[in-house]
Amino acid sequence: MLNHIIVDISKHEFTPQQVTWLRQEFVQRVAIGFDRPTMMWIIGGLTGIGIAAFGILWSEIGSVRDELRTEISSVRDELREEISSVREEVKENRARIVDIATGLARIEAILEERLPRN
């Protein structure tokens, strides 16, 4: 479009050197950059790629989160089972200690009766 404007300007009192300079300054600079539709496609494409990458990452984070939840719940269940078995063992050990203490008290009582105190 600028090229047509410069051609129209060349009909009005501009020398060929001035028209050449105008072409070099304005037409080539516009040709170097991207036009608006191209820029819109580039921006839209980058935005689409970004949204797609975000969606993929979000789904991966969600799947890892679900895996962690299931792993944590299974470990929690294993720990509860282990704690309950340890509690049972502690109860059994306490009962054995009571039995041993009772037996020891009987032995001490028998020894005191039979052995002289001097």
Side-chain angles (χ1 to χ4, degrees), residues 84-97:
S84 66
S85 69
V86 168
R87 283 182 181 164
E88 303 247 339
E89 288 178 11
V90 167
K91 286 180 184 178
E92 291 173 6
N93 288 339
R94 283 181 181 168
R96 289 180 188 157
I97 290 171

Side-chain angles (χ1 to χ4, degrees), residues 44-62:
L46 289 175
T47 303
I49 290 170
I51 291 172
F54 178 76
I56 291 169
L57 286 174
W58 189 256
S59 66
E60 286 296 318
I61 288 170

Side-chain angles (χ1 to χ4, degrees), residues 72-90:
I72 287 171
S73 67
S74 67
V75 168
R76 197 178 283 158
D77 293 340
E78 289 175 10
L79 285 175
R80 285 181 183 156
E81 290 174 7
E82 188 69 27
I83 288 171
S84 66
S85 69
V86 168
R87 283 182 181 164
E88 303 247 339
E89 288 178 11
V90 167

Side-chain angles (χ1 to χ4, degrees), residues 34 37-55:
F34 293 110
T38 305
M39 288 299 290
M40 295 302 287
W41 275 103
I42 290 172
I43 292 170
L46 289 175
T47 303
I49 290 170
I51 291 172
F54 178 76

